[in-house]
Amino acid sequence: MDDLRDKYIDLIARAEDEAALEDLRVQAVGKKGQISLQMRELGKMTPEERQVAGPKLNALKDEINAALSAKKAALSDAALDARLKTEWLDVTLPARPQRQGSIHPISQVTEEVSAIFADMGFSVAEGPQIESDWYNFDALNIPSHHPARAEMDTFYTHRDEGDNRPPHVLRTHTSPVQIRSMQAQGAPIRVIAPGRVYRADYDQTHTPMFHQIEGLAIDRDISMANLKWCLEEFAAAFFEVDHIEVRFRASHFPFTEPSAEIDFRCSWEGGTLKLGEGDDWLEAGGSGMVHPKVLEAAGVDPNEWQGFAFGLGIDRLAMLKYGIPDLRAFFESDLRWLKHYGFAALDVPTLHGGLSR
Ligand code: DAH
């Protein structure tokens, strides 16, 4: 027994990996292992002999099992150490320039617009892209028979036959975030809500998924004049010029009264767009005073509160500012295109540091 013990303790100590250790386990204490065979011999012994040999054999078995599991733990610690050594990474090293990704123009413009409105006291709000038709339509004063529902080319989620619950839609605009923000925060409130929106439309100027930014400012005495000032401030900051005149064109949206389309003064002389000068006007989005029914739907008392809302197209802003001719290129993931129009990942747009550099 002592020989057996010395042999296996020595072999276990020298085992180089878990496979070798497993072989030893089978040889020593496995069903047909040497110790197990010895145990079988106990039957042939006299009771007196058995009383001495039995406990000794059991103790030997325990000792070998203990040595096996201690060695197993040591081997797996060593394996882990070796692996950690090869996978070690110094996260404090600077990024390698050749591996730097770039920021997509849509993300860049979203950051720029957010930075400008943040400076005017707006915070950023978000809502779900899969929206109930109540938030997307009803709460915005677009009842089910309203033609605006049909005009929006809405994507509806699938419903099983006989399922009469109100449908969900891929939101067709960022306006439902107005409702969610007012419900969550009440009034007064100042938020912008950038994000993805969806409509079933596809050509050079339309993609089924695109981006909008919604603005909302509600207080006791907010007027169209405040709206105009905010939009002029925004336009000049965004296009990085001293001043851009904003023109309101009478329009209609169910969720605002009065409603106005937003135009920026511009010139197309010589085929290039210049903002803030010239006799042309560039359509930028929709706006107006939030309809009392919309305030009511969001739980804000229209007798006490009033304010403006606007919606701008982020993709369009990006195309205009960075001279990108085709909207579809935004979504093609062409690396050459991204390199050409992309922005350095570490340049975060701020008003004081410069938006686009
Ligand atoms: N939701 C409108 C659309 O997608 C845009 C819009 C117009 C938003 C007027 C507004 C607004 O907040 O006041 O066509």
Side-chain angles (χ1 to χ4, degrees):
M1 263 188 232
D2 284 345
D3 288 350
L4 261 186
R5 179 192 170 277
D6 291 348
K7 172 181 160 194
Y8 281 111
I9 295 297
D10 180 50
L11 285 172
I12 290 169
R14 284 192 285 129
E16 265 170 15
D17 53 33
E18 293 197 25
L21 203 61
E22 176 60 13
D23 284 346
L24 284 172
R25 190 191 66 76
V26 172
Q27 272 179 48
V29 294
K31 256 193 194 148
K32 289 183 185 153
Q34 271 190 294
I35 310 249
S36 312
L37 292 178
Q38 295 267 337
M39 294 254 187
R40 265 180 232 167
E41 300 294 312
L42 290 175
K44 295 178 194 150
M45 293 180 186
T46 64
E48 291 76 26
E49 282 173 332
R50 205 180 302 140
Q51 241 172 29
V52 182
K56 262 188 140 181
L57 263 177
N58 271 324
L60 176 58
K61 191 178 172 186
D62 289 347
E63 190 181 349
I64 288 180
N65 273 328
L68 282 165
S69 45
K71 181 68 180 183
K72 190 169 177 182
L75 281 174
S76 78
D77 280 356
L80 184 61
D81 280 348
R83 195 172 143 205
L84 285 175
K85 241 175 231 154
T86 63
E87 291 179 4
W88 183 82
L89 180 75
D90 184 353
V91 293
T92 66
L93 283 174
R96 290 179 201 150
Q98 70 271 28
R99 293 221 189 138
Q100 229 170 52
S102 66
I103 297 293
H104 193 284
I106 300 283
S107 305
Q108 170 76 16
V109 166
T110 303
E111 289 297 320
E112 292 182 18
V113 176
S114 304
I116 295 166
F117 281 105
D119 198 60
M120 291 190 252
F122 287 76
S123 53
V124 176
E126 283 187 309
Q129 293 175 40
I130 301 172
E131 188 57 282
S132 75
D133 75 340
W134 187 82
Y135 279 105
N136 196 80
F137 294 122
D138 300 73
L140 291 161
N141 195 29
I142 314 174
S144 44
H145 59 266
H146 199 285
R149 284 211 187 191
E151 280 161 23
M152 286 230 187
D153 300 312
T154 312
F155 287 113
Y156 287 88
T157 56
H158 170 77
R159 269 187 311 166
D160 287 333
E161 219 167 301
D163 183 347
N164 289 323
R165 286 174 299 178
H168 278 72
V169 301
L170 295 186
R171 67 177 179 194
T172 56
H173 49 180
T174 43
S175 303
V177 187
Q178 288 184 33
I179 308 294
R180 290 181 175 276
S181 306
M182 284 190 277
Q183 281 181 333
Q185 266 174 260
I189 187 172
R190 249 184 274 178
V191 290
I192 50 162
R196 291 181 173 169
V197 299
Y198 303 83
R199 289 180 206 179
D201 211 349
Y202 188 65
D203 61 35
Q204 197 172 342
T205 52
H206 297 90
T207 47
M209 189 272 287
F210 56 106
H211 302 81
Q212 289 187 335
I213 190 152
E214 194 77 14
L216 174 73
I218 304 290
D219 211 322
R220 292 180 193 278
D221 53 3
I222 288 194
S223 71
M224 293 286 278
N226 301 123
L227 169 62
K228 198 167 193 183
W229 182 86
C230 282
L231 291 169
E232 286 192 340
E233 281 295 297
F234 160 72
F238 178 74
F239 289 105
E240 302 180 56
V241 296
D242 287 339
H243 179 72
I244 293 180
E245 194 183 330
V246 165
R247 177 177 81 173
F248 281 153
R249 232 171 340 108
S251 184
H252 174 78
F253 301 105
F255 29 88
T256 43
E257 181 58 40
S259 305
E261 238 142 309
I262 305 160
D263 295 345
F264 296 151
R265 184 181 283 283
C266 73
S267 129
W268 282 107
E269 237 179 61
T272 49
L273 173 67
K274 282 208 192 86
L275 276 127
E277 55 187 78
D279 295 319
D280 279 326
W281 295 93
L282 192 74
E283 292 180 26
S287 65
M289 295 298 289
V290 178
H291 198 291
K293 282 192 178 170
V294 172
L295 295 175
E296 238 164 53
V300 168
D301 183 357
N303 297 313
E304 223 183 303
W305 305 100
Q306 63 178 37
F308 64 72
F310 60 83
L312 304 169
I314 292 181
D315 317 75
R316 189 168 152 73
L317 287 172
M319 289 168 81
L320 293 169
K321 179 163 177 177
Y322 294 110
I324 299 167
D326 191 331
L327 178 67
R328 290 171 293 193
F330 281 128
F331 310 109
E332 280 167 357
S333 302
D334 183 330
L335 280 178
R336 292 162 305 176
W337 184 89
L338 272 171
K339 274 215 178 94
H340 180 74
Y341 287 108
F343 298 86
L346 298 173
D347 286 346
V348 178
T350 60
L351 280 180
H352 53 274
L355 286 177
S356 61
R357 265 176 261 200

